[in-house]
Amino acid sequence: VSYRPMTHANSITSPQFQTLLDQCVHCGLCLPACPTYSVLHTEMDSPRGRIQLMQAAADGRIETDGPFAEHIELCLGCRACETACPSGVQYGLLFETARTAIVDNRPATTLERASRWLALRQMLPHRQRLRLLARMMRLYQAIGLSRLVRKLNFLPPSLRAMEALLPPLSTRFPAYQQPAPAIGEKRGTVAFLVGCVQDAFLTEVNAATVRVLQRNGYEVHFPKLQTCCGAAALHIGEATLARDLARQNVDAFSAMEYTAIINNAGGCGTTLKEYAHLLADEPAYAVKAQAFVDNLQDINQFLAAHLHTPPQGTLNLRATYVDSCHLRHGQKVVRQPRQLLKLIPGLTLVELQQPDMCCGSAGVYNIMQPSTAEQVLAAKMADVAGTTADVVVTTNTGCHMQLLRGVREKGLKAEVLHVVEFLDRKKKKNPSGR
């Protein structure tokens, strides 16, 4: 199934929003696919119940604070309901518009404004600042403070959730200044979206992505003006900031023509592919944004069609692939990651019982709603444990960090790797000794 851009809707009271609401026939087939309904068992925490709340708010029967905000904000935004829906309801757009309405109509506390300013404006759009933070966190890990904090368990829930997500960190960061040359026959030139959190906290994923592209004959460029994709801003209803970041990225990648623009994080890619929707009302950017989207490809999509150098060496491992919700349900990239993994000699790929269920990461959800996120993660890790996999494979930054936490807390003897890290391996290696 190809990716289908969301139809434009600019507010909860707009005719376009009402048209999208009217697509829902309230059949309830979405309920079994919804992670929050599965753990909370309440109608208002299902897609159908939330759409009813949106209709009531659009009609002016309820305000966008109180129970409306509570149940909307408990939604992971995983869009599994879109895959399950027989009527083609674009729940992702309904949810995004509802979240923006909550932010626009709810006075923010001083602490909330300060934390959003710091995270969304002063950190995520600035790669070097994030790298500095990662270096500080690496020191925190190296001197043993991380183990002590986790043992004492004294932090408030949101900070405890943030600390638990810290992966093992590196302080060696690629420069990403000059283009990385193709190895062997040059087959094209691609631009790579370095990203923000993944660049600083999962450094090896980006490095492996570049190496795999090079070995397959692609010269890799890193446009200097690129920035955060804006997914985190959209996750908490900051649509204006998301549009600002979208313009900057569109400008950065419009400077020259590329074979493709490559992204390697499922959640980021879904936001990037919505740029044409985000900038649809701006004459100076609408066409440029659509051209950007048309040339954008997830790394799994691109390599499935352009893997000129197959994986080398035998890896006698048992692996399970954990779908990024936004890659699976938003971008409809399901087959390609599995196709790539099956090309690895010696690898046994074991499917989860519920591959379409969220892990509880969902952007900043596991920080904003830690209690519900932990319940969703527990269900996912039980599924993962049932595969007895040596390696848990994923394709998204937030999922990667969430699964690292889950593997550690459940005591599983398994690595967590991005698909490209697996493709980058050359030697036989079995981390569990099995």
Side-chain angles (χ1 to χ4, degrees):
V1 179
S2 61
Y3 177 76
R4 179 168 62 98
M6 295 194 292
T7 303
H8 184 62
N10 53 22
S11 78
I12 203 167
T13 57
S14 69
Q16 296 96 328
F17 189 77
Q18 185 61 55
T19 299
L20 294 171
L21 286 172
D22 290 342
Q23 289 180 304
C24 179
V25 297
H26 313 296
C27 65
L29 292 176
C30 57
L31 271 63
C34 178
T36 52
Y37 183 77
S38 296
V39 299
L40 299 174
H41 308 293
T42 53
E43 176 71 14
M44 291 300 98
D45 293 311
S46 73
R48 181 175 65 182
R50 292 183 176 112
I51 286 174
Q52 292 278 29
L53 286 171
M54 292 178 201
Q55 183 66 71
D59 293 342
R61 290 182 281 121
I62 61 172
E63 300 295 329
T64 55
D65 56 5
F68 177 87
E70 175 188 344
H71 293 292
I72 295 298
E73 289 176 345
L74 272 173
C75 179
L76 288 144
C78 68
R79 294 169 66 172
C81 51
E82 288 190 13
T83 301
C85 180
S87 301
V89 174
Q90 295 186 66
Y91 181 84
L93 180 54
L94 291 169
F95 178 50
E96 174 191 310
T97 308
R99 272 194 302 203
T100 301
I102 292 170
V103 171
D104 289 345
N105 296 320
R106 180 180 62 193
T109 64
T110 301
L111 178 60
E112 185 179 6
R113 287 196 301 271
S115 60
R116 290 188 177 206
W117 173 82
L118 179 62
L120 298 179
R121 298 180 182 275
Q122 300 304 313
M123 294 302 296
L124 292 181
H126 303 281
R127 192 189 312 160
Q128 295 306 320
R129 296 178 191 177
L130 283 173
R131 288 182 172 190
L132 176 60
L133 178 61
R135 289 188 177 97
M136 294 168 62
M137 292 298 99
R138 176 68 186 95
L139 178 62
Y140 162 82
Q141 292 177 335
I143 63 177
L145 273 178
S146 178
R147 292 189 298 274
L148 179 63
V149 167
R150 289 172 182 175
K151 182 178 180 180
L152 296 178
N153 197 28
F154 65 89
L155 294 174
S158 291
L159 286 179
R160 186 165 64 245
M162 291 176 68
E163 201 284 333
L165 290 171
L166 275 178
L169 295 169
S170 170
T171 56
R172 299 175 59 187
F173 300 111
Y176 297 130
Q177 296 294 326
Q178 301 302 318
I183 296 174
E185 178 187 353
K186 182 178 177 181
R187 301 176 184 274
T189 300
V190 298
F192 178 53
L193 282 139
V194 175
C196 50
V197 173
Q198 185 155 271
D199 171 67
F201 291 87
L202 293 169
T203 308
E204 186 53 31
V205 174
N206 281 357
T209 300
V210 174
R211 288 192 295 266
V212 170
L213 288 167
Q214 287 180 279
R215 286 203 300 271
N216 281 279
Y218 293 92
E219 182 176 284
V220 186
H221 288 229
F222 315 99
K224 291 182 180 179
L225 295 179
Q226 65 174 294
T227 187
C228 170
C229 68
L234 279 180
H235 279 312
I236 56 176
E238 296 279 358
T240 299
L241 175 58
R243 282 190 285 270
D244 291 341
L245 297 171
R247 291 187 207 97
Q248 184 171 337
N249 278 323
V250 168
D251 285 339
F253 287 86
S254 298
M256 65 177 286
E257 292 186 4
Y258 301 103
T259 305
I261 299 170
I262 303 296
N263 164 72
N264 65 356
C268 299
T270 300
T271 296
L272 292 162
K273 287 188 175 182
E274 297 299 347
Y275 277 8
H277 153 66
L278 282 172
L279 303 176
D281 291 337
E282 302 185 24
Y285 279 92
V287 174
K288 289 169 63 177
Q290 187 61 61
F292 173 90
V293 170
D294 290 343
N295 205 25
L296 180 71
Q297 290 192 49
D298 176 77
I299 186 66
N300 294 280
Q301 285 179 299
F302 186 79
L303 290 177
H306 301 92
L307 196 71
H308 306 294
T309 303
Q312 303 297 311
T314 300
L315 296 174
N316 293 317
L317 295 168
R318 186 177 176 89
T320 191
Y321 173 65
V322 179
D323 291 80
S324 152
C325 290
H326 284 95
L327 191 61
R328 182 184 182 104
H329 302 301
Q331 298 186 56
K332 310 300 182 186
V333 176
V334 179
R335 170 184 53 82
Q336 296 92 329
R338 292 168 168 84
Q339 177 184 332
L340 292 170
L341 291 171
K342 289 176 181 178
L343 292 174
I344 299 173
L347 183 72
T348 300
L349 184 62
V350 185
E351 286 287 348
L352 296 173
Q353 293 296 310
Q354 293 184 295
D356 56 344
M357 276 291 186
C358 186
C359 69
S361 172
V364 294
Y365 186 92
N366 48 3
I367 297 170
M368 306 297 290
Q369 303 287 345
S371 176
T372 306
E374 286 173 8
Q375 294 178 67
V376 175
L377 176 61
K380 176 61 74 175
M381 295 315 300
D383 200 353
V384 168
T387 68
T388 65
D390 303 301
V391 183
V392 181
V393 189
T394 187
T395 49
N396 181 54
T397 310
C399 302
H400 199 142
M401 295 168 75
Q402 180 84 331
L403 291 167
L404 281 167
R405 173 189 178 178
V407 164
R408 183 187 72 246
E409 292 182 349
K410 198 168 180 64
L412 302 182
K413 296 185 181 298
E415 280 188 292
V416 180
L417 296 174
H418 192 288
V419 170
V420 291
E421 291 182 285
F422 229 147
L423 293 175
D424 191 45
R425 288 199 167 174
K426 303 180 182 67
K427 297 179 181 180
K428 182 176 179 180
K429 183 177 181 181
N430 191 328
S432 68
R434 280 184 276 185

